[in-house]
Amino acid sequence: MKKIPTEIVVRAFMAAIAATSLALPVFAIAADSEAPPKAPAAAPRIGLALSGGGARGLAHVGVIKVLEELRVPIHCVTGTSMGAIVGGTYASGLPTAEMEKSVLAADWDIIFRDKPPRADISSRRKIDDYKTLFAPEFGVKDGGLALPKGVIAGVSIEAFFRGLTVRAVGVNDFQKLPIPFRAVATDIETGEAVVLDHGSLAHAMRASMSVPGGMTPVEIDGRLLVDGGIANNLPIALVRKV
């Protein structure tokens, strides 16, 4: 991949945004009128880095709307936690107006109940509605009771994310999305930041916002991943590499 000669990284944290010029283009003026003309400077490449911040991170949607109104082209996106949700949805090609409508219309109480929409449940699983079941997921492991790894398993949440990113179904390489994208999660065993650049986009978004203790860690490539805000809440350095 070619090194970016000049770029602008747009930060969006909570409800604020700051544009920082990382490398200004240099324009040379020839002292000798007979000297060959200089090649025009390359246009700046703009990356958008979106941070975590819980519900307040939804302000990222407003930031993207402003950038579009200003006709600022976005060439790549990185995001952590809520920033990964907004960034991944935007990178999948969903128009900003539809993204805003979907987020505002969402019933978050239902989404966080760990119960996917009934239309998404198989007929066999619907029979369970008539049985007495524990809400959390329990099981047996090594001869003992295995407790859930988080209060919320995240089933309904991931179903919601799949709806937001339906335009990206079948795209396993995030570099090939309408806008190249990277999500950041944290390896719960080592505490290291993990860059997610392939696989299911909805699955990566869920991993990036899985708060330890609150949501079950997501296993990707043999690693248990939780909220990326623990290791890298604002992935500016990463967007330079996309």
Side-chain angles (χ1 to χ4, degrees):
M1 185 176 296
K2 296 183 179 179
K3 184 178 179 181
I4 299 174
T6 176
E7 60 187 14
I8 301 173
V9 175
V10 181
R11 307 185 193 187
F13 181 65
M14 306 304 183
I17 178 172
T20 305
S21 178
L22 301 178
L24 295 176
V26 178
F27 298 93
I29 301 178
D32 187 347
S33 60
E34 296 182 359
K38 297 289 184 179
R45 192 165 186 266
I46 301 172
L48 183 64
L50 302 177
S51 74
R56 290 171 293 182
L58 292 176
H60 295 324
V61 179
V63 169
I64 294 175
K65 285 183 62 178
V66 171
L67 292 175
E68 289 186 339
E69 291 172 1
L70 295 176
R71 299 183 181 278
V72 177
I74 303 300
H75 299 91
C76 54
V77 181
T78 59
T80 297
S81 195
M82 185 59 75
I85 297 171
V86 175
T89 303
Y90 180 58
S92 72
L94 186 69
T96 309
E98 291 185 29
M99 177 167 58
E100 182 179 39
K101 181 179 179 180
S102 297
V103 170
L104 293 178
D107 189 331
W108 295 98
D109 288 336
I110 293 178
I111 291 174
F112 280 94
R113 283 179 190 167
D114 243 1
K115 197 170 184 180
R118 190 168 178 79
D120 294 344
I121 303 176
S122 67
S123 298
R124 185 175 181 180
R125 290 296 301 274
K126 288 177 182 178
I127 298 175
D128 291 341
D129 290 348
Y130 302 98
K131 299 178 181 179
T132 301
L133 297 175
F134 290 107
E137 296 179 348
F138 294 87
V140 177
K141 182 178 181 181
D142 299 330
L145 181 65
L147 298 176
K149 299 176 181 178
V151 177
I152 301 173
V155 177
S156 183
I157 293 173
E158 187 165 340
F160 177 65
F161 292 165
R162 284 198 299 270
L164 289 177
T165 59
V166 65
R167 293 168 181 252
V169 172
V171 180
N172 294 318
D173 183 353
F174 297 170
Q175 189 67 26
K176 296 180 180 179
L177 291 170
I179 301 177
F181 172 71
R182 303 288 187 275
V184 178
T186 301
D187 187 319
I188 197 171
E189 296 182 0
T190 65
E192 298 175 343
V194 177
V195 177
L196 303 175
D197 59 4
H198 66 280
S200 165
L201 180 56
H203 205 49
M205 290 160 60
R206 176 188 162 196
S208 183
M209 56 85 67
S210 294
V211 180
M215 292 183 63
T216 302
V218 176
E219 184 175 352
I220 296 179
D221 295 336
R223 308 177 78 172
L224 287 178
L225 306 179
V226 293
D227 197 304
I230 299 172
N232 185 1
N233 196 50
L234 185 56
I236 295 177
L238 176 61
V239 80
R240 295 188 177 115
K241 303 175 183 178
V242 179

